[in-house]
């Protein structure tokens, strides 16, 4: 595996000089944030990101994300033009040495929580989702933690209304349409596409979601068989859904050569409903068996990219929710330990 770390570019308040000091760190996971979704990325920005990473001894082989414009998800008339731009971005990334592109196909929101600051018994804070709190959210007057600055409330209402009559099949067909155009280019330029699962893995506000479970993945991989059409196995996203067996999924999709990128984090289910909170990475801290997941990856020959996903805010850090330095760095060392241990005994697994 290649251990990577998300870096939000020069504006990230975690400097590359710190990231490189995390044991076994090979590279950054980043993106161009200076161009609106749907437009063509600037070469200068990609040059700069790569140069900065390389200067610090880090690679830039993973992009998260090239975001997919809502009109592509909606299947509107201008989608072909927007897909052309997407293809152009894939080509540019390839020219800059990128090997893997993470993206998602969730309508409107690419993750959802009911609080960004859930206080844990040990005094750390983390993101959490409470079923009860979610029921209180008024879809007509949406205020969602972490999203209020991304959309005005009018924009949000108008976007949501465009999805009103969209079925899961419609959205799926739009994803297949998109992939049928981009995967041949990925084959040509040697890039793996890694779709990120729905987070959390169920429909929200009647918006359809189509990458929430094994059945969804099987359908997607059958529809577009090239292994360039692959997955970001985000354990925390799939794992928030109690219907998902992460160990089985890790084994199955690794064996199928679909797992190009892994986001490792743990979640703790709470109560009988869909509530969960984000916890430290260790198995003991949450509801997912992280060791068994890594074992399944190693046993099935995983050799892709991994990053520690969402950390808590600890040691008094006031980091970007989910993306502080300390807990992700601790997560990285734990991930290193799991991989090293299982890789040593791989033949015995
Ligand atoms: C959240 C992230 C997601 C992810 C996108 C990929 O922390 O895991 O925002 O980057 O869904 O497109």
């Amino acid at each position: 595996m290649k251990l990577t770390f998300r870096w939000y570019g020069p504006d990230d308040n975690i400097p590359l000089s710190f990231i490189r000091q995390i044991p076994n760190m090979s590279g950054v996971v980043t993106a161009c944030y200076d161009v609106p979704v749907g437009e063509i990325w600037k070469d200068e920005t990609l040059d700069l990101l790569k140069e900065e990473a390389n200067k610090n001894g880090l690679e830039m082989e993973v992009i998260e994300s090239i975001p997919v414009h809502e009109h592509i998800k909606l299947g509107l008339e201008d989608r072909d033009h927007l897909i052309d731009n997407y293809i152009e971005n894939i080509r540019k990334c390839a020219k800059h040495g990128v090997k893997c592109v993470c993206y998602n196909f969730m309508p409107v929101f690419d993750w959802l929580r009911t609080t960004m600051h859930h206080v844990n018994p040990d005094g750390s804070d983390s993101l959490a989702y409470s079923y009860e709190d979610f029921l209180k959210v008024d879809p007509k007057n949406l205020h969602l933690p972490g999203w209020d600055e991304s959309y005005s409330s009018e924009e949000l209402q108008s976007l949501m209304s465009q999805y009103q009559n969209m079925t899961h099949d419609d959205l799926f067909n739009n994803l297949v349409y998109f992939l049928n155009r981009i995967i041949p280019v990925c084959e040509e330029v040697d890039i793996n596409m890694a779709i990120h699962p729905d987070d959390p893995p169920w429909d929200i506000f009647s918006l359809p979601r189509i990458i929430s479970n094994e059945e969804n993945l099987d359908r997607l991989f059958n529809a577009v068989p090239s292994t360039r059409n692959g997955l970001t196995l985000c354990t925390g996203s799939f794992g928030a859904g109690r219907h998902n067996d992460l160990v089985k999924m890790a084994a199955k999709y690794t064996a199928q050569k679909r797992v190009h990128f892994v986001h490792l984090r743990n979640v703790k289910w709470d109560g009988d409903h869909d509530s969960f909170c984000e916890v430290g990475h260790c198995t003991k801290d949450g509801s997912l068996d992280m060791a068994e997941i890594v074992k399944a990856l190693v046993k099935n020959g995983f050799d892709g990219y991994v990053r520690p996903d969402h950390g808590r805010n600890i040691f008094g850090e006031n980091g970007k929710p989910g993306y502080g330095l300390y807990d992700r760095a601790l997560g990285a060392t734990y991930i290193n330990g799991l991989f090293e241990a299982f890789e040593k005994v791989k033949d015995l697994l």
Side-chain angles (χ1 to χ4, degrees), residues 39-227:
E39 291 185 17
I40 295 177
W41 285 3
K42 295 181 197 150
D43 283 307
E44 312 88 83
T45 310
L46 279 164
D47 288 341
L48 178 94
L49 293 171
K50 188 177 163 72
E51 263 168 44
E52 288 296 311
N54 291 173
K55 243 192 328 201
N56 284 278
L58 297 162
E59 291 165 341
M60 186 187 78
E61 295 186 342
V62 186
I63 292 294
E64 176 176 349
S65 311
I66 306 181
V68 179
H69 196 280
E70 296 296 327
H71 289 187
I72 297 178
K73 299 178 207 164
L74 284 160
L76 301 187
E77 256 173 39
D78 57 349
R79 73 172 152 177
D80 282 312
H81 165 68
L82 291 162
I83 297 174
D84 288 342
N85 288 356
Y86 202 98
I87 287 174
E88 187 58 29
N89 287 337
I90 289 176
R91 290 190 185 282
K92 281 184 190 240
C93 287
K95 272 197 212 122
H96 285 83
V98 171
K99 301 282 176 218
C100 177
V101 171
C102 170
Y103 71 107
N104 74 76
F105 217 75
M106 286 171 258
V108 193
F109 307 101
D110 93 9
W111 52 270
L112 203 86
R113 299 290 183 271
T114 53
T115 174
M116 313 284 275
H117 295 289
H118 170 81
V119 180
N120 298 304
D122 63 4
S124 60
D125 77 69
S126 59
L127 285 75
Y129 178 96
S130 142
Y131 171 78
E132 284 77 21
D133 289 349
F134 185 72
L135 290 181
K136 293 183 207 140
V137 176
D138 174 4
K140 297 254 170 308
N141 183 22
L142 276 184
H143 290 292
L144 291 168
W147 285 100
D148 276 0
E149 57 285 5
S150 308
Y151 293 109
S152 71
S153 103
E154 296 74 40
E155 275 168 355
L156 204 51
Q157 286 311 323
S158 113
L159 191 53
M160 304 249 306
S161 68
Q162 294 187 66
Y163 280 98
Q164 213 162 34
N165 297 316
M166 176 165 285
T167 64
H168 291 82
D169 283 351
D170 295 334
L171 185 65
F172 179 77
N173 292 337
N174 292 341
L175 171 58
V176 171
Y177 182 96
F178 167 71
L179 288 172
N180 279 337
R181 287 212 47 213
I182 63 167
I183 292 297
V185 179
C186 295
E187 309 252 13
E188 186 194 320
V189 301
D190 201 15
I191 279 204
N192 289 321
M193 294 300 293
I195 196 163
H196 189 285
D198 304 327
D199 180 9
W202 51 77
D203 292 356
I204 46 161
F205 306 124
S206 317
L207 295 166
R209 288 182 144 192
I210 53 170
I211 306 293
S212 294
N213 54 45
E214 229 182 294
E215 192 188 334
N216 292 165
L217 291 174
D218 291 342
R219 186 183 189 202
L220 175 67
F221 299 146
N222 285 330
V224 184
S226 162
T227 54

Side-chain angles (χ1 to χ4, degrees), residues 156-309:
L156 204 51
Q157 286 311 323
S158 113
L159 191 53
M160 304 249 306
S161 68
Q162 294 187 66
Y163 280 98
Q164 213 162 34
N165 297 316
M166 176 165 285
T167 64
H168 291 82
D169 283 351
D170 295 334
L171 185 65
F172 179 77
N173 292 337
N174 292 341
L175 171 58
V176 171
Y177 182 96
F178 167 71
L179 288 172
N180 279 337
R181 287 212 47 213
I182 63 167
I183 292 297
V185 179
C186 295
E187 309 252 13
E188 186 194 320
V189 301
D190 201 15
I191 279 204
N192 289 321
M193 294 300 293
I195 196 163
H196 189 285
D198 304 327
D199 180 9
W202 51 77
D203 292 356
I204 46 161
F205 306 124
S206 317
L207 295 166
R209 288 182 144 192
I210 53 170
I211 306 293
S212 294
N213 54 45
E214 229 182 294
E215 192 188 334
N216 292 165
L217 291 174
D218 291 342
R219 186 183 189 202
L220 175 67
F221 299 146
N222 285 330
V224 184
S226 162
T227 54
R228 296 284 175 195
N229 170 30
L231 175 65
T232 297
L233 185 78
C234 177
T235 58
S237 300
F238 277 130
R242 302 174 196 197
H243 54 276
N244 286 321
D245 177 344
L246 263 297
V247 179
K248 178 174 174 224
M249 290 166 87
K252 171 173 166 181
Y253 297 112
T254 304
Q256 293 181 7
K257 304 262 171 280
R258 297 285 177 180
V259 181
H260 303 313
F261 188 23
V262 179
H263 287 179
L264 282 173
R265 68 179 161 90
N266 206 346
V267 288
K268 193 176 173 68
W269 304 329
D270 182 25
D272 298 334
H273 283 294
D274 287 334
S275 306
F276 63 90
C277 65
E278 299 188 359
V279 291
H281 290 75
C282 295
T283 300
K284 195 170 155 285
D285 292 333
S287 303
L288 307 181
D289 193 329
M290 304 304 283
E292 286 296 331
I293 293 168
V294 172
K295 185 169 150 196
L297 292 169
V298 172
K299 187 173 172 182
N300 288 282
F302 174 75
D303 68 350
Y305 302 95
V306 174
R307 73 169 176 82
D309 202 8

